[in-house]
């Protein structure tokens, strides 16, 4: 009987130790998507929630990269652009959080693994190397963002999500124009 109790105690200890030391963190974006899918699967908000999660993830990255530009950029133009990214995307992020709360949409609290990799890549660069890589990425990223926001502005089921996406398009287009102008200077 003592051997059985001892074996059970050891097995429980191993399981507890293994679970406590599981250092793998879940992707915040994936967690938000799963939570939204569970609660919005049969509603018209399912696709809108996917857009909101992606927009929040992208906005978080824009803010963090803007902060990074303040530290790693050589060019005053790139630093100023980064500051604008921080300000504009922080404001948009707060608006999106409010909208998501009203619609019962869960948003990611931190960068997705994919966005974190991009951040880490840029964090390893300094000076002119950072300027070129960051601005080039901003051009590509804003082209992608504009496409996604145009699609949401046209196809979102929820009128508030649709209006929010449409309202952000002028700012995103302005960001793209500025990034393109700086990109021409840095080449």
């Amino acid at each position: 009987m003592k051997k059985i109790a001892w074996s059970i105690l050891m097995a429980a200890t191993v399981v507890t130790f293994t679970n406590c030391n599981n250092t793998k963190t879940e992707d915040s974006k994936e967690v938000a998507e799963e939570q939204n899918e569970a609660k919005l699967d049969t509603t018209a908000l399912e696709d809108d929630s996917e857009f909101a999660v992606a927009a929040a993830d992208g906005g978080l990255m824009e803010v963090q990269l803007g902060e990074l530009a303040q530290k790693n950029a050589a060019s005053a133009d790139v630093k100023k652009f980064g500051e604008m990214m921080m300000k504009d995307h922080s404001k948009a992020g707060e608006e999106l959080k409010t909208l998501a709360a009203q619609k019962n949409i869960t948003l990611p609290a931190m960068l997705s693994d994919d966005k974190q990799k991009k951040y880490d890549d840029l964090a390893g660069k300094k000076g002119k190397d950072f300027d070129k890589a960051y601005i080039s990425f901003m051009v590509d990223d804003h082209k992608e963002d504009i496409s996604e926001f145009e699609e949401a502005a046209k196809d979102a089921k929820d009128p508030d999500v649709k209006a929010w996406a449409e309202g952000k398009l002028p700012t995103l287009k302005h960001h793209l124009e500025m990034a393109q102008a700086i990109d021409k200077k840095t080449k």
Side-chain angles (χ1 to χ4, degrees):
M1 184 72 171
K2 285 184 179 180
K3 277 188 172 181
I4 294 172
W6 178 252
S7 296
I8 290 172
L9 180 62
M10 288 305 293
T13 303
V14 169
V15 169
T16 302
F17 182 75
T18 302
N19 287 339
C20 288
N21 284 327
N22 186 357
T23 57
K24 179 173 178 353
T25 57
E26 288 191 67
D27 187 310
S28 183
K29 182 180 176 195
E30 288 178 17
V31 170
E33 286 172 344
E34 288 170 8
Q35 289 176 357
N36 290 329
E37 196 172 300
K39 63 187 169 190
L40 303 171
D41 190 31
T42 59
T43 71
L45 272 178
E46 183 181 8
D47 290 340
D48 294 355
S49 73
E50 288 176 17
F51 163 73
V53 167
D57 189 34
L60 286 169
M61 182 185 64
E62 297 285 2
V63 170
Q64 290 184 23
L65 288 177
E67 291 170 353
L68 188 62
Q70 302 303 298
K71 294 184 256 179
N72 291 9
S75 163
D77 288 340
V78 173
K79 287 181 185 242
K80 186 176 176 184
F81 181 82
E83 186 178 338
M84 181 179 64
M85 292 294 97
M86 288 170 35
K87 184 178 128 265
D88 291 351
H89 286 280
S90 290
K91 181 181 177 207
E94 289 304 315
E95 292 170 6
L96 183 56
K97 281 181 193 171
T98 300
L99 177 60
Q102 293 168 357
K103 304 297 176 180
N104 197 25
I105 296 172
T106 302
L107 297 178
M110 47 198 250
L111 293 179
S112 64
D113 292 345
D114 181 50
K115 301 286 191 227
Q116 186 65 51
K117 282 181 191 170
K118 189 60 193 174
Y119 177 90
D120 292 344
D121 177 52
L122 286 168
K125 299 180 186 317
K126 301 251 191 268
K128 289 183 180 186
D129 287 341
F130 174 84
D131 293 354
K132 287 179 184 176
Y134 173 64
I135 289 299
S136 175
F137 178 66
M138 287 292 96
V139 169
D140 294 342
D141 188 56
H142 278 82
K143 285 179 182 176
E144 224 176 273
D145 290 347
I146 289 167
S147 174
E148 291 168 4
F149 275 69
E150 284 174 340
E151 185 179 327
K154 188 179 92 168
D155 297 335
K157 305 289 185 266
D158 184 274
D160 296 329
V161 172
K162 186 180 250 188
W164 182 82
E166 194 173 339
K168 298 300 151 229
L169 279 166
T171 302
L172 291 171
K173 289 177 180 178
H174 176 68
H175 291 169
L176 175 60
E177 291 168 6
M178 290 191 68
Q180 288 171 324
I182 297 169
D183 193 36
K184 284 181 185 172
K185 284 184 187 179
T186 60
K187 287 189 175 181

